[in-house]
Amino acid sequence: MAAAASLAKARSIVTMKHVGLNVAADPLMTLSYLGVEGGLVACVADDPGMHSSQNEQDTRHYARLAKVPLFEPSDSQEARDLMLLAMEISEEYRTPAILRSTTRVSHSRSLVDLGERKPAGRRIGFVKNPPRYVPIPVWGRVMRRDVEERMGRLVRAAEASSANWMEWRDRSLGIVTSSIAYQYVREVWPDASVLKLGFSYPFPDSLFLEFASQVDSVLVVEELDPILEEHVRSLGIACRGGDVVPKVGELSPDQLLLARMRMEGRKPAMDAGQMALPPRPAVLCPGCPHRGIFYVLGQLDVVVTGDIGCYSLGAFKPLDRMDTILCMGAGISMAQGLEKAGDPRKVVGIVGDSTFFHSGITGLLDIAYNRGGSTILVLDNRTTAMTGHQENPGTGRTLMGDVSVPISIEAIGSACGIERVRTVDPYDLEAVSVAVREEVEAFAPSLIVARAPCPLKERRRLGAVRVVDEDACKGCRICIRLACPAIEWLGETARINPLLCMGCGLCQGICPAGAIAPQEVDS
Amino acid sequence: MSLEDVQSVVLVGVGGQGILLASEVLAQAAVLSGHRVKTNEVHGMAQRGGSVVAQIRWGQKVYSPLVASGTARVLGSLEQIEALRYAHYLAPNGLAVVSAQAIMPMTVSTGEAIYPKDVPGLLKRSFSRLIYLDAAQAALDLGEIRAANMVVLGAVSTGLDIAIEDWRDAIVASVKERFVEINLRAFEAGRSFS
Ligand SMILES: Cc1ncc(C[n+]2csc(CCOP(=O)(O)OP(=O)(O)O)c2C)c(N)n1
Ligand code: SF4
């Protein structure tokens, strides 16, 4: 969409996380050939340390792969400044650009000095020009050569850019760095000279050479892959980098203090050793509609292919009912793959509503058309919960909050050719159990939509707070299998934390001793 | 531009306890007191009942948004064992403010791990300067359990040199209007625990 908008001369910013760029990689690769009319910046955030992602890929490779300029802010102010620069460079060189953030840049906040808003003041409109916008081979080959020529000009732009600078202090050590690592470097090596890159690709070669010639030794500090380091070496510059700075996981001042000690041959003081504390992994919220689904699946001998929303938390003990996660939409397509491979068990695939619309439909079509037999469960909590409760095509509102047509998951299922489509209330465990069992048994693909709104979004209790009658509790621990954070186990019996309970009542339904009941409200 | 001028605070707890709002108020207060500020907190997965940490740093010039171990002036915790988890951030003479709330991690309820015994004793041994308070109870007494974060923040404020007016203005600026009153009262309640 952004690509087309840009061809019509509109400026566009398109935001995503690193794995999102995998999905958008196909258009990006060729847009690099077409070039842009209005500036286009893909703002992509990496997640070193995998705080909430399934991998740790380094987006800087994409800039190289697509042959587009790369900008790397190291704090909020630079995020603003480099976005403007990226937009300017994009328009001047008629290329898409990537602004690469990381979790720490995106989730840090600091004061930003704003500038004046300058409207682009141009007329929007697409002007037909096939040799520029149609990369069939005859024209595409020309574009291909233009890309190389553009890269040459971009190198000079990066070399001259004020986003790349040298800070001269003690010249015995010079550090080449970019992104958030710059901020850590300034604290850990306050006396070192620094080459800071904000416009970091195409590589500003003359800067590396000039910087290296003026310092006694060079250290490259970058987060994730040794991209700068390898390039600096390729220029014939001896440097250190990945031998002392970790290449896996997130950097931090602590990590770099250790790196500095390693480099200087000092042994870190022995840590007193951390006390053994119980880990506190994330869990489905109290009252989450996804919980009962996993509880029911826990009673069936099926393989469960999962996906990336809040329901990915169903993979943890004690629910432990999600067997694979690969990428957005894989809950559906991997179900088909496992089944076609001939796994002797039945397969249940899980996706959320947002994921279904985003990348589940093609997989579903494949299952129906290629005569699969898996059961697909769409956990429709009427929102995109994991990423912060955004709207999606099922909610009937656009991201801007405007009213729109809510799209029916069931109707899409039928239109894809799935004949067995049904809807259940995920809080009705009996109904869920019957539906899942019947559909798993059926020799045809089926779609079950489990629909109930996310209570964290709705911000209200589902029912009365439940309490455990400690005398009646037999200590069977069945309620613990729900993985509800409100249910605590205190030695012999369960206890429900009244501050956390959302009153969904699932525990009351499964307690064989009948020990759980709604709290009586006094007054 | 000495780095020694930079003040760091680490606020920790369990997802959903209001760490992010507390962090926002602290950052605002530091801005109002005339400093450059950087904050960091990780959202996403951790917010679903996981362990949450927010870091706030201010001074004339702040580089890293992350706090180095052993440098935080105050550690504020809304849950008692979370204070132990992040104890390494605190400077040797730093102040720990720990709410007596105990929220069982799932790993404890499933029997995979055990909740430490004698947490107050562990806290006393881990922190030379400790304010151990029941923020949840204090907030409940005021009629709004969700204000426990402001109770802790009030106690945290006693270890920092930010003027009380800046704290108040920060609360007014960060909290929805109808909750301002209760949050101010919770903050005051927290200050009395020093
Ligand atoms: C390609 C790709 N883009 C974006 C994401 C980030 N992401 C993680 S969870 C999620 C949304 C999940 O929403 P939904 O499926 O409705 O599940 P819910 O969290 O509401 O249960 C997204 C977009 C991703 N993992 N992969
Ligand atoms: S945010 Fe909503 S969907 Fe996600 S775990 Fe909590 S209740 Fe469930």
Side-chain angles (χ1 to χ4, degrees):
Chain A
M1 243 180 79
S6 144
L7 296 192
K9 298 194 188 65
R11 285 184 174 162
S12 35
I13 296 173
V14 45
T15 63
M16 63 198 80
K17 63 188 287 183
H18 56 339
V19 288
L21 190 55
N22 297 336
V23 181
D26 192 9
L28 177 67
M29 294 302 142
T30 307
L31 183 64
S32 170
Y33 284 30
L34 267 53
V36 304
E37 297 297 339
L40 188 155
V41 182
C43 178
V44 185
D46 285 354
D47 190 10
M50 299 168 69
H51 292 280
S52 9
S53 307
Q54 66 269 38
N55 77 30
E56 202 175 52
Q57 70 190 52
D58 189 329
T59 290
R60 295 178 298 163
H61 290 294
Y62 269 113
R64 234 172 142 165
L65 189 58
K67 297 175 184 282
V68 299
L70 174 71
F71 300 85
E72 293 185 77
S74 73
D75 65 11
S76 309
Q77 181 69 51
E78 286 184 18
R80 175 216 172 255
D81 298 345
L82 291 182
M83 178 54 91
L84 291 182
L85 178 65
M87 195 55 88
E88 275 168 23
I89 295 281
S90 168
E91 288 197 344
E92 188 178 338
Y93 294 81
R94 301 183 117 177
T95 170
I98 296 177
L99 184 93
R100 180 224 190 202
S101 180
T102 68
T103 300
R104 291 296 173 188
V105 175
S106 289
H107 288 310
S108 291
R109 280 185 286 173
S110 50
L111 295 177
V112 174
D113 299 323
L114 298 178
E116 281 285 305
R117 208 190 138 104
K118 281 180 261 161
R122 65 181 67 151
R123 194 179 288 146
I124 301 295
F126 175 76
V127 181
K128 185 178 162 83
N129 185 356
R132 265 211 68 189
Y133 304 137
V134 184
I136 52 169
V138 275
W139 292 321
R141 291 188 195 109
V142 178
M143 298 176 192
R144 171 75 188 85
R145 277 194 291 275
D146 289 348
V147 168
E148 288 309 308
E149 186 268 331
R150 182 182 77 204
M151 284 303 275
R153 287 186 290 126
L154 280 166
V155 170
R156 293 191 288 283
E159 288 174 339
S161 174
S162 60
N164 297 330
W165 68 77
M166 296 181 209
E167 298 172 8
W168 296 112
R169 284 175 286 270
D170 178 10
R171 298 197 183 209
S172 61
L173 177 67
I175 300 179
V176 177
T177 187
S178 69
S179 189
I180 190 83
Y182 165 76
Q183 305 290 350
Y184 307 151
V185 162
R186 288 296 291 117
E187 294 203 358
V188 174
W189 284 274
D191 302 324
S193 294
V194 169
L195 169 57
K196 151 80 161 86
L197 300 178
F199 181 173
S200 52
Y201 190 80
F203 298 117
D205 284 349
S206 65
L207 300 186
F208 295 127
L209 292 166
E210 185 194 335
F211 185 68
S213 73
Q214 300 199 37
V215 294
D216 300 339
S217 60
V218 175
L219 168 71
V220 180
V221 180
E222 60 193 318
E223 212 165 31
L224 300 182
D225 296 338
I227 296 176
L228 284 174
E229 182 185 347
E230 284 172 5
H231 185 73
V232 164
R233 285 230 167 82
S234 78
L235 295 173
I237 300 169
C239 69
R240 301 193 73 172
D243 57 330
V244 284
V245 179
K247 283 184 279 197
V248 175
E250 186 176 40
L251 297 183
S252 64
D254 282 348
Q255 285 286 352
L256 291 188
L257 278 167
L258 285 175
R260 181 169 179 172
M261 288 187 169
R262 254 176 245 131
M263 214 167 84
E264 294 170 0
R266 286 186 286 150
K267 283 236 159 31
M270 278 305 282
D271 208 351
Q274 241 218 324
M275 203 178 299
L277 291 171
R280 193 186 293 277
V283 274
L284 293 173
C285 302
C288 177
H290 300 336
R291 174 168 287 111
I293 305 289
F294 292 110
Y295 181 79
V296 168
L297 288 172
Q299 298 158 355
L300 300 178
D301 181 26
V302 291
V303 184
V304 182
T305 56
D307 223 295
I308 48 73
C310 281
Y311 38 82
S312 57
L313 298 171
F316 290 133
K317 279 184 183 166
L319 290 173
D320 189 16
R321 212 55 199 101
M322 186 165 276
D323 302 320
T324 63
I325 291 180
L326 183 64
C327 63
M328 206 170 170
I332 296 184
S333 42
M334 283 186 67
Q336 167 82 335
L338 265 175
E339 206 226 316
K340 286 290 172 194
D343 195 283
R345 282 156 301 172
K346 293 283 193 162
V347 187
V348 174
I350 291 190
V351 289
D353 47 339
S354 167
T355 301
F356 178 83
F357 291 117
H358 182 278
S359 38
I361 300 170
T362 350
L364 194 67
L365 194 61
D366 182 23
I367 291 178
Y369 199 70
N370 289 315
R371 308 217 154 261
S374 26
T375 301
I376 302 303
L377 263 161
V378 181
L379 308 191
D380 180 6
N381 58 356
R382 318 296 300 145
T383 184
T384 316
M386 179 60 109
T387 46
H389 296 110
Q390 292 82 5
E391 304 292 342
N392 70 46
T395 64
R397 285 201 182 265
T398 68
L399 280 182
M400 306 307 288
D402 301 332
V403 175
S404 186
V405 209
I407 309 292
S408 155
I409 296 170
E410 288 88 338
I412 290 181
S414 305
C416 285
I418 304 280
E419 280 160 13
R420 303 180 66 98
V421 178
R422 58 206 278 183
T423 309
V424 291
D425 169 4
Y427 295 111
D428 183 347
L429 291 189
E430 191 51 38
V432 173
S433 180
V434 168
V436 175
R437 277 168 215 271
E438 283 178 8
E439 297 311 327
V440 163
E441 289 310 316
F443 287 95
S446 33
L447 182 71
I448 305 176
V449 182
R451 179 170 294 128
C454 162
L456 188 67
K457 179 175 188 207
E458 305 281 303
R459 296 207 169 272
R460 65 183 140 79
R461 282 222 168 85
L462 298 153
V465 166
R466 300 305 203 266
V467 279
V468 180
D469 174 351
E470 283 176 27
D471 297 328
C473 173
K474 291 199 171 63
C476 67
R477 302 179 71 98
I478 284 182
C479 55
I480 295 295
R481 290 188 209 156
L482 285 171
C484 176
I487 307 179
E488 303 176 339
W489 195 257
L490 300 177
E492 311 287 299
T493 58
R495 188 188 92 98
I496 294 178
N497 184 334
L499 301 178
L500 297 179
C501 177
M502 290 291 277
C504 71
L506 286 191
C507 55
Q508 179 178 351
I510 65 164
C511 173
I516 303 178
Q519 188 173 44
E520 282 172 31
V521 201
D522 31 53
S523 87
Chain B
M1 210 179 70
S2 149
L3 293 180
E4 279 72 64
D5 295 340
V6 174
Q7 307 280 323
S8 302
V9 170
V10 176
L11 298 176
V12 303
V14 175
Q17 282 192 303
I19 302 288
L20 301 188
L21 179 63
S23 152
E24 157 105 32
V25 170
L26 174 43
Q28 278 284 354
V31 169
L32 292 173
S33 69
H35 295 101
R36 299 300 280 190
V37 181
K38 281 193 179 174
T39 69
N40 183 273
E41 64 262 325
V42 166
H43 307 237
M45 279 251 183
Q47 264 178 306
R48 307 276 174 272
S51 166
V52 174
V53 48
Q55 318 193 12
I56 306 95
R57 308 189 70 212
W58 64 96
Q60 283 198 325
K61 170 88 190 158
V62 183
Y63 290 104
S64 166
L66 293 185
V67 176
S69 288
T71 65
R73 189 150 159 194
V74 183
L75 169 70
S77 181
L78 279 151
E79 204 275 355
Q80 43 181 10
I81 64 164
E82 293 310 308
L84 296 169
R85 203 186 301 281
Y86 298 103
H88 61 275
Y89 279 122
L90 201 59
N93 57 349
L95 169 70
V97 174
V98 184
S99 174
Q101 243 184 305
I103 299 180
M104 290 299 140
M106 190 53 59
T107 51
V108 169
S109 295
T110 58
E112 290 163 82
I114 27 179
Y115 199 87
K117 294 205 173 58
D118 185 27
V119 177
L122 288 175
L123 290 168
K124 274 197 203 93
R125 261 166 279 145
S126 303
F127 304 112
S128 55
R129 287 172 61 210
L130 172 69
I131 299 178
Y132 185 55
L133 73 175
D134 192 340
Q137 192 55 52
L140 264 182
D141 291 346
L142 293 172
E144 178 54 85
I145 174 70
R146 281 176 297 177
N149 55 354
M150 289 303 131
V151 177
V152 167
L153 198 62
V156 163
S157 73
T158 63
L160 300 169
D161 19 61
I162 293 178
I164 181 72
E165 301 75 47
D166 293 335
W167 285 106
R168 289 211 188 96
D169 292 347
I171 291 174
V172 172
S174 314
V175 173
K176 279 209 198 94
E177 206 182 323
R178 61 199 164 102
F179 296 118
V180 164
E181 184 57 35
I182 183 76
N183 278 290
L184 284 172
R185 294 213 331 250
F187 183 82
E188 285 304 333
R191 278 180 81 85
S192 64
F193 279 99
S194 53

